[in-house]
Amino acid sequence: MTSSLLDMKDIRVSYGHAEVVQGVSLTMTSGSIVTVIGANGAGKTTLLNAAMGVIPSSGTILYDGKPVPGSVEARVASGFCLVPERRELFSTMTVEDNIELGGFLRSRAERAETSAELYERFPRLAERRKQLAGTLSGGERQMLALARALMSRPRLLLLDEPSLGLAPRIVADILRIVSELRDSGVSILLVEQNARAALEIADFGYLMELGEVKLSGTASDLANNPALMESYLGTANAG
Ligand SMILES: Nc1ncnc2c1ncn2[C@@H]1O[C@H](COP(=O)(O)OP(=O)(O)O)[C@@H](O)[C@H]1O
Ligand SMILES: [Mg+2]
């Protein structure tokens, strides 16, 4: 039996009078990558922030079949971790210190064990341990943001456009790491404008348009959907 890890039902979010997420329902099973794709302004970030609890929303969110805790802190403690679109690194601190900070809820022994694993997974960060985060390339910054998130040993990783602004080869590196994380048991909710790349690693996907889910299905069904191909994947400059 596969049970839902995260189950969002009829989620609505308004900014002032504008309802920008208009009754979205989304479900993800444990150990999967679910992607939310859609154009700029579709409401993807807003939906992700509602899942994390950083903005208020209406509707219901179940985590492991139970109502999700209300506060961001309680969600973090129960295994949520958000990597926001603006990576929000501490640019005047070293790579190492940024990573250490991600483990603030963990014991010293757990931090040592997890950071050793992370430096194996991200050799470029190991080489740059003493470098200031602000001097890293875009791809290295995204890797650092991911590594810092992983220090909390999340069960549910919420990723907002990890491919944004990165060269295709770096995007491929990042997404390979994301799919390895899924294989190691982390569940991932992946928001992406780069539909083609996201559908390559996802298990299931939702297409959002103007605050609503327009299409959903297995990642391979979506990747082979002619209408979606045309609007999001078909053009030479897609993504
Ligand atoms: N803090 C905010 N205040 C008012 N409007 C916002 C705010 N954040 C986002 N919006 C609007 O909500 C809509 C959805 O935005 P967003 O969730 O960022 O979309 P996406 O991540 O898909 O690009 C957009 O029209 C955007 O302008
Ligand atoms: Mg966004």
Side-chain angles (χ1 to χ4, degrees):
M1 194 186 94
T2 50
S3 54
S4 292
L5 178 69
L6 186 72
D7 204 356
M8 304 178 78
K9 285 198 198 106
D10 195 25
I11 301 300
R12 294 173 186 272
V13 181
S14 299
Y15 296 116
H17 294 298
E19 191 178 59
V20 303
V21 172
Q22 306 176 348
V24 169
S25 296
L26 171 158
T27 184
M28 57 187 295
T29 54
S30 189
S32 65
I33 298 179
V34 171
T35 187
V36 177
I37 55 180
N40 196 18
K44 305 181 299 298
T45 294
T46 303
L47 182 69
L48 202 65
N49 286 339
M52 189 67 201
V54 294
I55 52 169
S57 60
S58 71
T60 53
I61 305 179
L62 301 180
Y63 181 58
D64 265 341
K66 297 185 285 284
V68 73
S71 72
V72 180
E73 292 74 13
R75 287 184 205 186
V76 169
S78 66
F80 284 58
C81 189
L82 171 70
V83 180
E85 191 175 304
R86 304 163 57 86
R87 322 303 189 207
E88 288 170 18
L89 299 169
F90 297 98
S91 42
T92 59
M93 288 171 56
T94 62
V95 164
E96 188 170 51
D97 288 344
N98 270 277
I99 287 181
E100 280 297 305
L101 275 174
F104 69 98
L105 287 176
R106 300 289 163 184
S107 69
R108 181 186 290 262
E110 281 174 325
R111 284 206 304 275
E113 186 190 330
T114 310
S115 62
E117 283 167 21
L118 288 172
Y119 287 124
E120 261 178 54
R121 197 187 285 282
F122 299 96
R124 289 178 75 90
L125 296 181
E127 290 162 18
R128 289 165 176 74
R129 233 179 251 233
K130 302 289 180 197
Q131 197 172 316
L132 297 183
T135 65
L136 297 174
S137 72
E140 289 159 0
R141 275 203 295 278
Q142 181 56 56
M143 285 185 193
L144 179 54
L146 256 181
R148 190 181 57 183
L150 293 172
M151 275 299 278
S152 70
R153 293 186 167 275
R155 283 183 70 202
L156 174 59
L157 196 53
L158 309 172
L159 299 180
D160 199 352
E161 306 235 20
S163 81
L164 197 70
L166 303 181
R169 188 176 50 80
I170 313 288
V171 171
D173 280 350
I174 302 272
L175 293 183
R176 178 182 45 76
I177 291 168
V178 171
S179 74
E180 286 169 10
L181 290 173
R182 180 258 323 269
D183 297 342
S184 74
V186 184
S187 306
I188 296 154
L189 185 56
L190 170 66
V191 158
E192 265 297 343
Q193 251 183 88
N194 188 340
R196 185 189 300 276
L199 291 173
E200 262 175 37
I201 60 159
D203 300 293
F204 202 87
Y206 293 84
L207 169 68
M208 272 185 84
E209 256 177 46
L210 299 172
E212 295 180 56
V213 171
K214 280 287 154 166
L215 267 179
S216 64
T218 64
S220 57
D221 282 354
L222 291 181
N224 293 312
N225 181 301
L228 189 143
M229 284 292 284
E230 198 172 312
S231 8
Y232 293 93
L233 308 170
T235 61
N237 60 357

